[in-house]
Amino acid sequence: MFSWILRGCRDECSATDQLKQARDVFVAKEVVLQKKISQEMERAKEFTKSGNKQAAMQCLKRKKYYESQMNQVGSVRLRINTKEKMIADNMGNK
């Protein structure tokens, strides 16, 4: 599932290392998306003040798209955390 993220970490990394690496990638994506969301809000405010409602609506549509992407990234991070806990529990049971 995360093979495109984990290409640099094949044989030498354990499963927990791979999950940590994937989590770090998704944390970085969330930061970038949050920045884009705030930029689109600022642009929408500027366009509204200048009277360009169509451009403001486009900014709000992009903002909504970035928010949906952020929700997807959040759900993937939740699955990664769940898998890390499962691995940790399995290591503790052995």
Side-chain angles (χ1 to χ4, degrees):
M1 180 172 167
F2 303 112
S3 62
W4 60 274
I5 296 170
L6 306 173
R7 287 192 179 130
C9 189
R10 285 282 183 226
D11 298 327
E12 66 275 357
C13 295
S14 68
T16 56
D17 292 337
Q18 289 178 346
L19 288 173
K20 286 178 186 176
Q21 184 181 9
R23 184 184 57 210
D24 293 342
V25 168
F26 284 107
V27 167
K29 281 187 180 203
E30 276 187 335
V31 169
V32 169
L33 286 171
Q34 189 62 42
K35 184 178 177 183
K36 286 183 179 183
I37 288 169
S38 62
Q39 285 175 346
E40 291 299 331
M41 278 301 296
E42 291 300 317
R43 290 180 65 203
K45 287 179 186 177
E46 289 173 13
F47 284 130
T48 302
K49 286 180 185 177
S50 67
N52 192 349
K53 290 188 179 188
Q54 185 177 8
M57 289 300 292
Q58 290 297 320
C59 290
L60 293 176
K61 286 180 183 179
R62 280 191 297 272
K63 176 188 162 275
K64 188 173 181 178
Y65 171 75
Y66 293 142
E67 287 173 343
S68 69
Q69 292 292 311
M70 189 116 153
N71 287 336
Q72 289 177 353
V73 168
S75 66
V76 171
R77 280 190 56 209
L78 181 64
R79 285 185 281 177
I80 289 171
N81 288 339
T82 304
K83 288 184 184 287
E84 283 180 329
K85 285 185 180 190
M86 286 175 27
I87 289 172
D89 289 343
N90 285 340
M91 296 292 251
N93 290 338
K94 289 184 178 181

